[in-house]
Amino acid sequence: MTDLITLGWRERLALPHLGIDMLKAKLDTGARSSSLHVDALEAFERNGATWLRFSMTVGRRLHPRSVRCEARALDRRVVTDTGGRGTERWFVRTDVRLAGLCYPIEISLTDRRHMLFPMLLGRSALLGRFAVDPSLSYTQPRPHPAYAEPVARVANEHHYGPLP
């Protein structure tokens, strides 16, 4: 068996290709997919492909700032919540930096303003890399701002190879 890094039920992570150098996330092994809060979302066409333009607020308490992002749409899927209600959501693929690792994940874009965490990291993003101990919180140091790429708020479609 591979040695897994143990994380807590909540951690800090970065989404460098979206210009987000630090974000608090809830790690949820009961959720298959990951989701990210967006304040506004707009789909548009670019070179024959569907792209998404979205914005979100980060650093809410001390220094809130709006981050505007663009990413190529990966897919549009129905996501079922814990109450059994399904909603159709847009998905994008981008890198996440967590516990010294950087790897691509799929994230649905949705309104999470009434949730405690702007991001939920589901089991498909954790699988094979991490174990989650629900008695722990914030086991990893804050992502260093130098890891973020604030000028690269447009996720590079070539970075991830061809999309399905």
Side-chain angles (χ1 to χ4, degrees):
M1 180 176 189
T2 307
D3 290 330
L4 300 177
I5 298 169
T6 300
L7 300 176
W9 70 274
R10 56 186 175 175
E11 294 289 346
R12 294 176 192 91
L13 54 83
L15 302 171
H17 291 286
L18 297 179
I20 300 168
D21 56 3
M22 202 279 291
L23 191 65
K24 291 181 181 180
K26 177 182 178 184
L27 280 56
D28 188 347
T29 59
R32 181 177 23 183
S33 60
S34 300
S35 62
L36 177 66
H37 170 74
V38 295
D39 297 317
L41 174 65
E42 171 192 10
F44 65 97
E45 295 294 315
R46 176 183 289 155
N47 300 325
T50 302
W51 282 69
L52 304 171
R53 183 177 293 123
F54 52 97
S55 63
M56 62 178 295
T57 303
V58 295
R60 295 180 188 189
R61 289 192 177 160
L62 299 177
H63 304 289
R65 67 180 172 95
S66 181
V67 177
R68 299 180 201 282
C69 309
E70 289 183 0
R72 185 172 175 185
L74 176 63
D75 202 0
R76 195 168 173 141
R77 301 181 207 141
V78 174
V79 175
T80 305
D81 65 18
T82 55
R85 292 176 302 272
T87 56
E88 194 171 43
R89 296 184 190 173
W90 285 106
F91 279 77
V92 298
R93 184 180 291 149
T94 191
D95 282 354
V96 62
R97 285 195 192 271
L98 176 60
L101 302 177
C102 186
Y103 57 96
I105 63 169
E106 295 181 4
I107 304 173
S108 72
L109 305 177
T110 190
D111 181 351
R112 291 182 53 83
R113 82 179 101 188
H114 300 296
M115 304 294 179
L116 290 176
F117 295 89
M119 184 162 179
L120 182 135
L121 200 63
R123 69 179 173 265
S124 62
L126 300 166
L127 189 65
R129 293 179 178 92
F130 305 109
V132 178
D133 183 339
S135 70
L136 301 175
S137 289
Y138 303 122
T139 64
Q140 302 298 309
R142 292 176 184 261
H144 192 277
Y147 292 145
E149 299 167 16
V151 297
R153 290 198 176 111
V154 176
N156 183 344
E157 65 186 288
H158 302 293
H159 177 74
Y160 304 107
L163 297 173

